[in-house]
Amino acid sequence: MKLAGLKSFENAHDESIWAATWVPATETRSALLLTGSLDETVKLWKPDDLILQRTNTGHCLGVVSVAAHPSGHFAASASLDSFVRVFDVDTNNTLANLEAPPSEVWQMQFDPRGTILAVAGGGSASVKLWDTATWNLVATLSIPRPEAAKPSEKNSSKKFVLSVAWSPDGRRLACGSMDGTISVFDVGPSDDAHVHMYDAEGKTLVGAMSGHSSWVLSVDVSPDGTAIATGSSDRTVRLWDIGMRAAVQTMSNHADQVWGVAFGPAGGPGRLASVSDDKSISLYDFS
């Protein structure tokens, strides 16, 4: 497996871009790339040539995360204004507003069936699950702290949960935290400077991978389930082979920390997009 750079778009937003996701095609339109920025906007792009299709507004502070429903008909954006806004992709009509405490809404992703929206809970050290039929909060999944740590200790603050990504079969949830750790299991991340892999059902450790030199800010799983892409404050994008349990490639397209990575939808050409504090979007071929 490998990545090859296709195109980079500088100054895609007016401020840092912290979020990206792909909106699946529908009966009436092709797939779109969705980005969210600290400029308070969400933008929709024609993927391969990165042509802007529309700019959506609706938040009063910067957008830190975007997620698209598997149907392609609606999506969600999370903002520093402490709201998750669920909206119709084609009309930008608001379908629901989900309120959260400050600093407790970061990266989000719908499960493959589209029934649950998982939201990384930031400083709450938890992952929150929302039912997409009712938009009710159905579970708050707390992330275990190290046995030696107490809530008052400095290292306990490193359990700031930043990112989430479901595996294609919906049995695994990959989560990234501020301590540079990625965990792949059913409900949350771990705590040391490695990439951890957990069995989704038994939560038993099956491997560890190291690579990034600083915080892991974003994570996504490839549609075929064989690879993980991560973005970090070390300004790199890394491609990980799940079978080999190792990083197989590092991309250094960005001049600042990488807040978002997103694989293109299954069935289309293999694509990966990354977005950064440098206000740019990078598009890669994934094969």
Side-chain angles (χ1 to χ4, degrees), residues 25-47:
T26 65
E27 304 83 5
T28 57
R29 60 155 171 77
S30 59
L32 297 169
L33 178 65
L34 194 67
T35 58
S37 168
L38 294 189
D39 65 11
E40 304 175 11
T41 68
V42 171
K43 293 188 176 185
L44 295 93
W45 306 83
K46 187 176 179 182

Side-chain angles (χ1 to χ4, degrees), residues 21-34 44 54 56 67-76 86-92 95 110-114 265:
T21 195
W22 296 77
V23 181
T26 65
E27 304 83 5
T28 57
R29 60 155 171 77
S30 59
L32 297 169
L33 178 65
L34 194 67
L44 295 93
R54 189 171 68 253
N56 290 350
H69 190 267
S71 69
H73 292 294
F74 61 92
V86 184
F87 61 94
D88 184 287
V89 169
D90 296 312
T91 66
N92 195 30
L95 304 179
F110 292 92
D111 77 310
R113 294 179 301 167

Side-chain angles (χ1 to χ4, degrees), residues 163-175:
S163 52
V164 292
W166 294 92
S167 64
D169 61 7
R171 298 179 59 200
R172 289 173 171 81
L173 185 63
C175 306

